[in-house]
Amino acid sequence: EIVLTQSPGTLSLSPGERATLSCRASQSVSSNSLAWYQQKPGQAPRLLIYGASSRATALPDRFSGSGSGTDFTLTISRLEPEDFAVYYCQQYANSPRTFGQGTRLEIK
Amino acid sequence: EVQLVESGGGLVQPGRSLRLSCTASGFTFGDHSMSWFRQAPGKGLEWVGFIRNKASGGTIEYAASVKGRFTISRDDSKSIAYLQMNSLRTEDTGVYYCTRGYSSPSYWGQGTLVTVSS
């Protein structure tokens, strides 16, 4: 099973700042089969990034994904008020599909 | 418009069974694999399992935590995916989501709450 570890657990930033979220895998994620999701309270997760760096349909370009192998990053270039939420990475290279424990992005 | 609507959640005693349904619309259901995920209260996301579409073999995979207790099935004529949950445990409590696809799903239902408690 691939274990995903996200850091930091909580990130406190202000609107307009840059956010950098990390996801590290316990073994290489083949074909860069890694996705990022955003979840707000009471809502279903929303797909942001797939294939480590491909943006989901209609996703603002302030969101970007990068990385390969075992180290992946989600970057939000300029935070908007609606970006404060919990973010999860997920690997789908093999079963079981696994998620990181999440990073909470909160307003400073 | 793609829509996924889960139903069947509720309060159930430990050891009992429950069947969740995921009714799909807005796309050709039989062309897509379907997955189930869950989220315990205040916790992160957990994959439950998926069922591939017939063209991909219709195979099913489960998380170790539910294997042998949960069964995923589908009725392509009705555009419904099912999650049969037997021998429920308190740790199965949470919101259950169905999704279209089995890799990085972009379409999720709103979820249905399952509470396992005596």
Side-chain angles (χ1 to χ4, degrees), chain B residues 60-73:
Chain B
I60 306 170
E61 296 190 25
Y62 298 97
S65 58
V66 307
K67 196 170 185 179
R69 299 188 300 123
F70 289 13
T71 301
I72 297 174
S73 61

Side-chain angles (χ1 to χ4, degrees), chain A:
Chain A
E1 171 175 327
I2 298 178
V3 176
L4 299 178
T5 302
Q6 292 185 239
S7 61
T10 302
L11 188 56
S12 299
L13 294 170
S14 301
E17 291 193 292
R18 180 185 186 90
T20 302
L21 287 66
S22 173
C23 177
R24 178 161 290 177
S26 60
Q27 57 188 273
S28 183
V29 178
S30 61
S31 304
N32 288 340
S33 299
L34 187 111
W36 290 92
Y37 299 86
Q38 176 193 70
Q39 189 178 33
K40 297 180 180 179
Q43 296 184 16
R46 171 195 179 193
L47 176 67
L48 302 176
I49 301 288
Y50 62 96
S53 60
S54 296
R55 271 193 291 272
T57 303
L59 185 70
D61 60 8
R62 64 179 183 274
F63 290 89
S64 63
S66 62
S68 64
T70 60
D71 288 297
F72 300 88
T73 301
L74 175 70
T75 302
I76 311 172
S77 58
R78 295 172 309 279
L79 285 166
E80 297 287 343
E82 61 268 28
D83 298 337
F84 292 91
V86 178
Y87 292 82
Y88 296 95
C89 59
Q90 178 227 346
Q91 67 81 21
Y92 51 94
N94 51 33
S95 293
R97 305 329 198 194
T98 50
F99 288 87
Q101 79 281 16
T103 289
R104 179 176 304 276
L105 179 55
E106 63 177 28
I107 299 177
K108 188 174 182 180

Side-chain angles (χ1 to χ4, degrees), chain B residues 75-112:
Chain B
D75 185 335
D76 289 352
S77 68
K78 295 181 179 178
S79 298
I80 300 177
Y82 299 101
L83 179 64
Q84 176 69 43
M85 305 185 292
N86 299 331
S87 303
L88 282 161
R89 305 168 180 168
T90 55
E91 56 264 35
D92 295 319
T93 292
V95 176
Y96 284 72
Y97 297 101
C98 71
T99 73
R100 189 183 84 171
Y102 68 101
S103 297
S104 52
S106 55
Y107 293 103
W108 294 62
Q110 84 290 348
T112 187

